[in-house]
Amino acid sequence: MKQRTVLDGAEIHRALTRIAHEVLEANKGPEGLVLLGIPTRGVPLAARLAEAVARIEPATDAGALAGALDITMHRDDLRSGRLRSAAPTHIPGGTIDARTVVLVDDVLFSGRSVRAALDAVSAIGRPHAVRLAVLVDRGHRRLPIRADHVGKNIPSALDERVGVRVQEIDGEDSVTITAAGGDGR
């Protein structure tokens, strides 16, 4: 299996900084903003994005921006046996009502995880708006979902796997593409 690195740690940092600028511009500042990471790797990416927002807007508390959104019970593959352990949902400030929610994920592929996240959001409140930020958009959508903020578009074949590694979970930051026989990610 041949593997190539398409983003290293410095490139991931730059992509998140750029996304933070885009999010702030689209929201016209940090007011009313909440960044919800989709487990697993979306959670540390949301925290990093919040830190980048706080660097840009120093009066902003990064801890008050970043949270996590468990999508386990909203997934459409529950019957297939591919169960994940539920992760805690944490909403900074306690509510998403009338706020702008930015869903944060590592890879956008078919759109099914994002659809589950949208269902989870609607189950817990009524935001002013919902946006999507992803580190990697690899194409191959099966649902009509598009990211508002993308770190890098990486066209890939269906038989390739896009792997995101983050320091907080994997001990390093990288995005790789590996030729595989499966359905990718």
Side-chain angles (χ1 to χ4, degrees), residues 14-152:
R14 283 192 298 275
L16 291 173
T17 300
R18 181 176 39 77
I19 290 171
H21 281 280
E22 291 176 5
V23 166
L24 284 168
E25 184 175 333
N27 197 57
K28 297 179 179 32
E31 295 76 27
L33 191 61
V34 61
L35 308 171
L36 296 181
I38 299 171
T40 299
R41 287 166 183 78
V43 175
L45 291 174
R48 289 190 201 181
L49 198 52
E51 291 167 4
V53 166
R55 282 192 303 274
I56 298 163
E57 296 279 342
T60 304
D61 176 9
L65 287 180
L69 180 68
D70 180 50
I71 64 168
T72 304
M73 299 312 296
H74 299 276
R75 295 182 59 90
D76 63 3
D77 60 357
L78 288 176
R79 287 175 270 153
S80 72
R82 291 181 53 193
L83 294 180
R84 286 185 174 179
S85 298
T89 290
H90 166 67
I91 308 298
T95 185
I96 60 170
D97 292 340
R99 295 174 76 184
T100 298
V101 172
V102 178
L103 298 172
V104 181
D105 206 1
D106 56 351
V107 177
L108 178 56
F109 180 34
S110 69
R112 293 184 188 281
S113 293
V114 175
R115 188 220 35 91
L118 291 169
D119 288 349
V121 163
S122 68
I124 61 173
R126 186 176 173 140
H128 168 72
V130 179
R131 302 180 65 75
L132 176 61
V134 296
L135 182 59
V136 173
D137 184 343
R138 66 170 288 186
H140 304 291
R141 218 74 73 241
R142 294 183 181 147
L143 297 171
I145 291 174
R146 179 186 59 83
D148 299 287
H149 312 286
V150 177
K152 185 167 181 81

